[in-house]
Amino acid sequence: MPTLKALAARANAAAQELDALILMAEREAASLAKRIIIQTNSSSPQALINAQRQDPFAKSGKYALGWVYFCLVVLLIATIMHLYFYWIDKIRTALYKEAMEVEHSSSPQSDYEMASLATNSTAAKLFPRDSSPLEKPKAQSSISSVGPLNNALAGIRWCFYRPIPRLRWRKHEITFPSIGVTLIVFSALAFVTLYSFVPQPLYRASIAYGSPPLAIRAGMIAVAMTPWIIALSMKANLVSMVTGIGHERLNVLHRWGGYICLFLSLVHTIPFYVHPVWDQGGWAVFQKYFTGKGPIYGTGIASLVPLLWLCIASLPILRKWMYELFVALHVPVAIVYVAMLFWHCHNYLTSWHYLFATVGIWLLSLFARLFKLNWTHPFRMSWLIGDEAAVTILPENALKITIPTQVRWCPGQYVYLRMPGVSIFENHPFTVTSLCSEDFPSEYGEGYRDMILVFRPFGGFTRKVLKAAVAKGPYKTYRAFLDGPYGGMKRQMESFDTVVLIAGGSGVTALVSQLLDLVKRMRDGKAITKTVHVLWAIKRLEAVDWFKEELRICREYAPPDSVRCHFFVTAAKRHGASVSLSQKDNVISDMLHDKLNNFAQGIASKRSSALIREDAAGDPERERELRRENEDRITALPKQEDIRPPEPAHARDSSMGHTRQRPSLTLSMKGVSRPSLEGNFEFGFPETPTMIEKSLVRFAFGVSAVGKKEGWLTEYGRPDLPYMLRSLSRDFGKRTCVYVCGPPGMREDVAKTVARLQQEVWEDDYKDEIFLHTENYAL
């Protein structure tokens, strides 16, 4: 018995010691599994010792850091360029304002002007300035006029403004990004490829000595790319803030960054299959350091499959074919991809640092986006229910959506619109055509501005809006959920001496707000711009009615001979387009949309009722009066009246020495009705095209369009934009801005021409800059 007890005690002690050893071994194995470093000693093979010295795994985090440095260099260059142009634009505008203030302060009042004398410079003769008449006020900084710098910028634009020719195969067309984007993508691809394949060794002598260094390098760079890819995809992101480049333009880098990340992921995966795993003791090493029961590459495949779907589905031909499915699944699949990366990386090296940075960037961008939504502000009437909107059908089946809102925007920006009364989940971008200014308040209420969206319906959401407008009539109002504004031109258009605005079809929506803002600043003496050329190619004359009132304002209230509009009618036959809706009604869907819309409308009515009671302060008469004012007056939005901003009763005509009465500035912003225009304003359009005009449809009217100095001209035929721009360039000022929004062919023609015009900056010392800004036709 004592012997048995002693043996049992020894066995128990041995078991405890064995448990301790097993625990220590498990801890050591876990540590080794995390570091993937196999311990060596004097008896270790030389190949294993070399594997620990040549490109060791513990120092592979430098490859991820190398990608970060590459991105920071590109970001720094873009930021410096943005700050430089922002600075020179601000300086030029400020110096011009200062010069104008000095000039006006030394001038006599208009009461001293001798209107009876037939002179055009009475004040200048009788009240001369202190400065020399030949001395011109300084209108720009000295740095912005440095010849070598301007010539260098012109050389860069001469290269990068040129578009890459499109490839056509049967009915398919392959469009390439700009040369600038192509250069960045090619540089990134070359960098990651060389950084992965040039360092040696690519493989270990045996898989038992560690993972292939090529796979580790590519994997770490792919992980480091993830936060940058996510940052470039977000609507509100830090990259746009510091570079001034809108997220819609960064999206192409987001897409190509995903393709490069897929390439690196494949480079990371394939070596494990190429390098024998089942031979050379690889499986034994895996079993020793990894105790999981799953497949060897299970976690890697789990993260590679979502990445494959994201990249393949984003190909233009597939994305266009299944756009709604792509939009609905893109974000959820991206979340799955990042989650699988956490599982796969297992906190090796610095991998989780980049993944946590990805999550942080994602959450921060979503938080910043809350300030871009019109329904997330708790102190607004639109909180959780959106703003009210009315839909109007314009000629050529175009649609006009009027949204009185407290959201503020800049000229040329766009918003994402969601209308649950039309479609619950669809959210699409539209350019804002109205001007957000105190001169154009909304009758909807104090602090509101009328946001106008004009677009032509094609398919999907836009077709549904047209269908709802036809079925429910013009007096139906909808709840509108806005996300934005985004985009816009970051350069200040008023800092250019000459501005050329070019539009094709509905692309004019991106130009209208820019034109109105520019005219307003020119009248207020806040713009250096002296000449504005507007070139608009439309199929039929009826399309001009979309912005008839806005064009009238530009013609009547712009400084004399400053705005010159040329319209090109590309279809000789004039007729009205009929509304054709062949879609069958979905009764259940329409009922659901109506209930959602009416539910939000009911909440809005209750809020208005509560505000009325609060404003009445217990006075029943006052409450009844306010409720009568709040009653629906048939129209979808408040009844339209003329909005007349205060302006001086007399305005000086700069070309004549006398004063004259100018009409008040009136702008129609409501989508239901429009006040009748004073006089017969037909923009110079003939009633019907003559036989000669019909025969000239295939030709451009560049000579007559450029030669007319009075400005407003209509021609039948397609404009020869390269010839017109070359002709207009003879009168370009010191700095010129060319702004184009239209189909791809129009943008390419303009880009090629502006690239060639950069030679004038080299040859003419007076010209400093010819800048080009293009907008996507789809926005």
Side-chain angles (χ1 to χ4, degrees):
M1 290 297 294
T3 305
L4 293 176
K5 290 181 180 180
L7 291 175
R10 291 179 180 178
N12 189 24
Q16 292 179 358
E17 185 176 356
L18 180 61
D19 290 341
L21 292 175
I22 293 175
L23 183 60
M24 291 178 61
E26 289 179 351
R27 290 177 179 176
E28 184 66 20
S31 176
L32 291 175
K34 183 175 181 180
R35 292 181 286 128
I36 316 295
I37 298 177
I38 303 175
Q39 292 182 345
T40 59
N41 50 42
S42 58
S43 61
S44 299
Q46 185 62 35
L48 179 58
I49 297 175
N50 294 336
Q52 301 301 323
R53 294 175 180 175
Q54 297 177 351
D55 198 7
F57 176 83
K59 297 182 179 179
S60 296
K62 64 182 180 182
Y63 297 105
L65 199 59
W67 171 257
V68 175
Y69 290 151
F70 174 85
C71 293
L72 289 178
V73 170
V74 177
L75 183 65
L76 181 61
I77 294 174
T79 303
I80 292 175
M81 295 294 293
H82 170 61
L83 294 177
Y84 169 75
F85 289 121
Y86 178 81
W87 180 77
I88 64 173
D89 289 348
K90 282 287 187 182
I91 293 297
R92 293 190 79 229
T93 307
L95 290 175
Y96 178 79
K97 292 179 182 178
E98 182 180 359
M100 293 296 294
E101 291 175 358
V102 172
E103 182 178 354
H104 286 297
S105 64
S106 61
S107 301
Q109 298 296 328
S110 60
D111 296 339
Y112 292 94
E113 188 71 43
M114 297 182 179
S116 60
L117 295 180
T119 64
N120 59 359
S121 57
T122 306
K125 292 180 179 180
L126 300 183
F127 302 92
R129 275 65 169 177
D130 295 333
S131 60
S132 172
L134 298 177
E135 181 182 352
K136 295 182 179 180
K138 188 178 181 181
Q140 63 183 16
S141 64
S142 57
I143 294 182
S144 64
S145 297
V146 176
L149 180 58
N150 292 330
N151 291 337
L153 291 174
I156 294 174
R157 288 167 175 164
W158 185 86
C159 297
F160 293 119
Y161 277 174
R162 299 174 183 272
I164 300 177
R166 289 173 290 171
L167 297 181
R168 292 180 176 85
W169 180 72
R170 296 182 180 179
K171 296 182 179 180
H172 303 287
E173 188 176 82
I174 301 176
T175 303
F176 297 95
S178 64
I179 294 181
V181 173
T182 303
L183 179 63
I184 294 176
V185 172
F186 179 78
S187 301
L189 180 60
F191 174 80
V192 299
T193 302
L194 295 175
Y195 208 33
S196 298
F197 285 90
V198 170
Q200 297 297 320
L202 300 180
Y203 294 90
R204 304 295 184 192
S206 169
I207 192 68
Y209 299 153
S211 302
L214 172 63
I216 299 302
R217 290 193 287 266
M220 288 305 302
I221 299 175
V223 172
M225 291 186 68
T226 305
W228 294 94
I229 294 174
I230 295 300
L232 294 173
S233 69
M234 305 304 292
K235 295 177 180 177
N237 61 79
L238 183 62
V239 178
S240 295
M241 185 182 304
V242 299
T243 63
I245 304 174
H247 84 276
E248 74 283 355
R249 298 178 185 274
L250 294 174
N251 189 262
V252 63
L253 295 178
H254 160 74
R255 211 162 46 242
W256 281 99
Y259 298 151
I260 295 176
C261 184
L262 176 61
F263 164 71
L264 290 172
S265 299
L266 294 176
V267 173
H268 170 73
T269 304
I270 293 174
F272 287 100
Y273 289 95
V274 173
H275 210 181
V277 174
W278 309 106
D279 299 333
Q280 303 181 19
W283 176 240
V285 173
F286 179 84
Q287 286 182 319
K288 181 178 181 180
Y289 296 114
F290 297 90
T291 57
K293 297 181 179 180
I296 297 179
Y297 308 127
T299 59
I301 295 176
S303 58
L304 183 61
V305 170
L307 181 61
L308 276 170
W309 190 93
L310 290 171
C311 293
I312 294 176
S314 66
L315 295 174
I317 186 172
L318 295 178
R319 187 173 71 249
K320 184 178 180 181
W321 175 57
M322 54 175 186
Y323 180 75
E324 298 299 338
L325 178 64
F326 171 78
V327 172
L329 295 181
H330 193 70
V331 174
V333 175
I335 294 175
V336 172
Y337 166 67
V338 175
M340 293 298 101
L341 272 184
F342 271 101
W343 181 30
H344 174 61
C345 293
H346 202 66
N347 200 18
Y348 298 145
L349 299 174
T350 58
S351 58
W352 275 17
H353 297 173
Y354 297 99
L355 296 182
F356 280 122
T358 301
V359 176
I361 291 173
W362 205 331
L363 295 177
L364 183 62
S365 298
L366 291 177
F367 176 75
R369 189 178 170 187
L370 292 177
F371 297 93
K372 294 281 189 177
L373 304 176
N374 70 327
W375 51 273
T376 55
H377 200 300
F379 301 105
R380 292 180 180 175
M381 287 286 291
S382 59
W383 184 48
L384 300 181
I385 59 172
D387 286 307
E388 192 174 13
V391 181
T392 306
I393 301 179
L394 300 176
E396 294 290 303
N397 286 352
L399 294 174
K400 179 180 181 180
I401 299 182
T402 305
I403 309 172
T405 179
Q406 293 175 293
V407 175
R408 295 295 178 262
W409 65 93
C410 296
Q413 290 189 309
Y414 66 93
V415 296
Y416 286 85
L417 173 66
R418 186 192 305 275
M419 299 174 67
V422 176
S423 179
I424 300 175
F425 300 106
E426 292 184 90
N427 191 30
H428 291 269
F430 298 100
T431 305
V432 183
T433 61
S434 56
L435 192 62
C436 182
S437 172
E438 295 180 356
D439 294 332
F440 308 112
S442 172
E443 292 187 358
Y444 198 83
E446 184 178 357
Y448 282 82
R449 300 290 183 268
D450 287 336
M451 179 180 290
I452 306 295
L453 311 177
V454 178
F455 55 90
R456 293 198 63 180
F458 291 99
F461 175 75
T462 57
R463 191 70 173 177
K464 293 177 183 178
V465 176
L466 176 61
K467 175 177 174 290
V470 172
K472 300 176 182 179
Y475 305 125
K476 174 70 175 178
T477 59
Y478 306 84
R479 305 309 300 183
F481 293 82
L482 303 175
D483 180 7
Y486 300 105
M489 191 179 79
K490 299 306 178 183
R491 297 290 301 272
Q492 297 185 25
M493 191 173 289
E494 65 272 14
S495 66
F496 293 92
D497 302 272
T498 306
V499 174
V500 182
L501 304 175
I502 305 173
S506 58
V508 73
T509 56
L511 271 63
V512 172
S513 59
Q514 294 278 15
L515 181 59
L516 287 175
D517 180 69
L518 192 57
V519 168
K520 180 179 180 300
R521 292 179 181 274
M522 291 168 65
R523 287 196 61 191
D524 295 342
K526 299 178 180 179
I528 303 175
T529 309
K530 298 297 185 295
T531 306
V532 181
H533 297 276
V534 180
L535 310 177
W536 185 14
I538 52 179
K539 285 187 176 181
R540 298 179 182 86
L541 294 176
E542 289 78 7
V544 179
D545 194 54
W546 302 348
F547 303 108
K548 192 172 185 178
E549 180 71 2
E550 287 79 358
L551 291 173
R552 182 184 71 84
I553 290 173
C554 294
R555 191 176 79 162
E556 294 186 0
Y557 299 100
D561 199 31
S562 60
V563 178
R564 305 167 186 176
C565 291
H566 303 147
F567 305 93
F568 295 88
V569 184
T570 59
K573 186 176 180 181
R574 300 183 63 182
H575 61 81
S578 59
V579 179
S580 176
L581 296 172
S582 59
Q583 297 178 352
K584 294 183 179 180
D585 294 337
N586 190 334
V587 179
I588 298 178
S589 178
D590 290 344
M591 289 177 59
L592 177 61
H593 294 155
D594 288 339
K595 286 189 175 182
L596 287 174
N597 191 71
N598 294 336
F599 174 75
Q601 200 80 302
I603 296 177
S605 300
K606 290 180 180 178
R607 290 183 183 173
S608 298
S609 180
L611 291 176
I612 288 175
R613 286 195 300 270
E614 181 180 351
D615 193 14
D619 187 351
E621 291 294 333
R622 175 61 176 166
E623 183 175 347
R624 281 193 294 270
E625 180 182 355
L626 292 174
R627 290 190 182 280
R628 282 195 301 269
E629 294 177 358
N630 193 54
E631 290 177 356
D632 184 17
R633 295 180 292 177
I634 300 179
T635 58
L637 294 174
K639 186 177 179 181
Q640 181 176 352
E641 298 177 2
D642 289 347
I643 305 172
R644 302 179 180 272
E647 65 171 330
H650 295 80
R652 182 178 303 278
D653 190 337
S654 60
S655 63
M656 303 295 293
H658 61 277
T659 58
R660 61 185 178 89
Q661 184 76 22
R662 297 193 69 173
S664 300
L665 182 61
T666 305
L667 178 61
S668 170
M669 286 296 212
K670 295 294 186 292
V672 179
S673 60
R674 176 182 294 169
S676 59
L677 301 179
E678 298 178 2
N680 185 19
F681 184 55
E682 294 296 339
F683 303 99
F685 292 146
E687 292 297 330
T688 56
T690 63
M691 294 301 297
I692 297 179
E693 290 170 335
K694 289 182 180 180
S695 64
L696 293 177
V697 168
R698 298 181 181 178
F699 298 91
F701 293 82
V703 176
S704 60
V706 174
K708 294 280 186 177
K709 289 298 182 183
E710 52 271 16
W712 295 74
L713 181 67
T714 304
E715 302 288 358
Y716 285 87
R718 296 186 179 277
D720 187 351
L721 292 177
Y723 173 80
M724 294 188 66
L725 285 173
R726 289 193 298 269
S727 301
L728 292 173
S729 66
R730 301 167 188 167
D731 299 326
F732 280 175
K734 203 170 186 63
R735 292 183 179 270
T736 302
C737 172
V738 179
Y739 188 109
V740 58
C741 182
M746 173 179 284
R747 298 200 303 268
E748 290 178 3
D749 290 341
V750 173
K752 292 177 183 177
T753 307
V754 175
R756 297 189 187 101
L757 290 178
Q758 300 301 320
Q759 296 179 358
E760 297 190 4
V761 178
W762 302 333
E763 299 170 356
D764 191 346
D765 295 336
Y766 175 74
K767 296 179 179 178
D768 286 346
E769 179 184 15
I770 302 179
F771 172 73
L772 172 66
H773 178 86
T774 60
E775 284 287 348
N776 194 338
Y777 184 77
L779 294 179

